[in-house]
Amino acid sequence: MTIHTSPDRITIFSPFDATLGRGAAQRRGALAPCVALIGCDGSGKSTLARDLTALLGREGPTRSMYLGLGTGDLGRRIGRIPLVGALAERFLTGKADKAHAAPDKRLPGLATALAMFGFSLARRRRFERVLAFRRRGIRVVTDRYPQAELAGGFDGPGLAWTRRGSALVERLAARERQLYEDMAAYRPTLVIRLNIDVETALGRKSDHTRAPLERKLAVMPTLKFGGAHIVDVDATRPYPEVLATVLALIQVEAPAA
């Protein structure tokens, strides 16, 4: 990635610009199925992605891919560093909370915005790998999926394009929005929405706090993923039941190419 800045403009050049978005309509028809697992933290996405990939691999080539940002896990790993970890984690969490605040807040400063944009570029690189698998006829199961409907987290752009900020950061937010619109243009074949309640989420993710989980639970049902086929699954049930249910759905709705 190359970044050129001036007082009134910011331009980001990425080697992926030439492949993502250009000719998308022509390529989509040749893609193998993609199944996106979405849901609040603690809903079982990662475990399901791993187990489903192993089971579906018996029927045809199948790969799994994580399409989240990983910033929450990164912060918690930093928090476990002796002496300085807790302070560093609080700093990062505070930055993230400010960046994802209500729409009437300003965009973050350039340094924070560049860091957030960097995470989005890393996500797009993983998304490119998903597309590469699908073009080769390999079915993909993803843990999360990027959306362009809502900014400020929730697997959407980190920088809310509706907020005001410096000219450079506003341009960066607009550029990030385009990244997500390009990714979201590739609708998954099937979206499995894993539904749980906040108490279940806290029981499974004891290192999380209630408020962010409640926000995710409130937002998740509103996301449409570009009109993709979405099926709701009760993920509070015993895991073997959830796994069997999702496996049967995929075999019917997104069979191997």
Side-chain angles (χ1 to χ4, degrees):
M1 176 183 70
T2 302
I3 302 173
H4 298 292
T5 63
S6 68
D8 62 349
R9 77 181 232 177
I10 182 166
T11 306
I12 293 111
F13 297 97
S14 167
F16 300 99
D17 289 342
T19 59
L20 190 63
R22 187 180 66 191
Q26 290 84 348
R27 292 196 302 269
R28 277 187 217 111
L31 299 178
C34 174
V35 179
L37 304 176
I38 68 166
C40 181
D41 297 4
S43 59
K45 300 184 297 296
S46 300
T47 304
L48 272 173
R50 180 197 65 208
D51 292 345
L52 287 167
T53 301
L55 292 169
L56 293 167
R58 302 171 185 173
E59 305 172 0
T62 305
R63 295 292 296 267
S64 64
M65 182 66 67
Y66 174 70
L67 288 182
L69 291 180
T71 51
D73 289 336
L74 174 63
R76 284 184 285 276
R77 288 197 298 272
I78 291 173
R80 290 193 286 269
I81 298 174
L83 301 179
V84 301
L87 182 62
E89 182 188 16
R90 285 197 295 273
F91 175 79
L92 290 173
T93 300
K95 286 288 187 183
D97 287 344
K98 288 180 180 179
H100 294 162
D104 60 333
K105 301 294 183 182
R106 286 181 62 82
L107 285 164
L110 181 60
T112 300
L114 284 171
M116 296 172 72
F117 187 81
F119 277 112
S120 290
L121 282 181
R123 169 180 269 161
R124 192 174 72 163
R125 283 193 291 271
R126 291 192 295 273
F127 192 84
E128 272 291 316
R129 292 185 62 193
V130 170
L131 291 181
F133 286 137
R134 298 181 68 190
R135 291 182 189 125
R136 289 162 47 195
I138 300 172
R139 177 172 48 189
V140 182
V141 178
T142 70
D143 174 353
R144 302 176 180 267
Y145 200 86
Q147 54 85 15
E149 305 162 44
L150 181 66
F154 312 108
D155 295 315
L159 302 168
W161 59 84
T162 57
R163 299 188 207 168
R164 306 302 298 172
S166 71
L168 291 176
V169 174
E170 286 184 15
R171 288 179 178 273
L172 196 65
R175 182 70 178 90
E176 186 193 35
R177 181 186 186 183
Q178 186 61 57
L179 294 182
Y180 280 84
E181 289 178 346
D182 288 344
M183 290 187 286
Y186 291 87
R187 291 186 302 181
T189 311
L190 175 66
V191 175
I192 302 292
R193 186 161 50 205
L194 301 165
N195 298 313
I196 57 173
D197 54 72
V198 68
E199 299 303 332
T200 299
L202 286 169
R204 295 176 179 176
K205 296 287 186 179
S206 58
D207 57 345
H208 287 49
T209 55
R210 178 179 291 269
L213 294 175
E214 288 179 335
R215 287 198 296 270
K216 289 181 181 179
L217 288 170
V219 167
M220 203 58 61
T222 70
L223 300 176
K224 305 302 181 184
F225 294 93
H229 180 35
I230 302 176
V231 178
D232 288 281
V233 172
D234 180 2
T236 64
R237 294 181 297 159
Y239 179 72
E241 294 181 19
V242 176
L243 176 60
T245 298
V246 176
L247 179 62
L249 283 167
I250 294 174
Q251 290 170 328
V252 172
E253 302 287 349

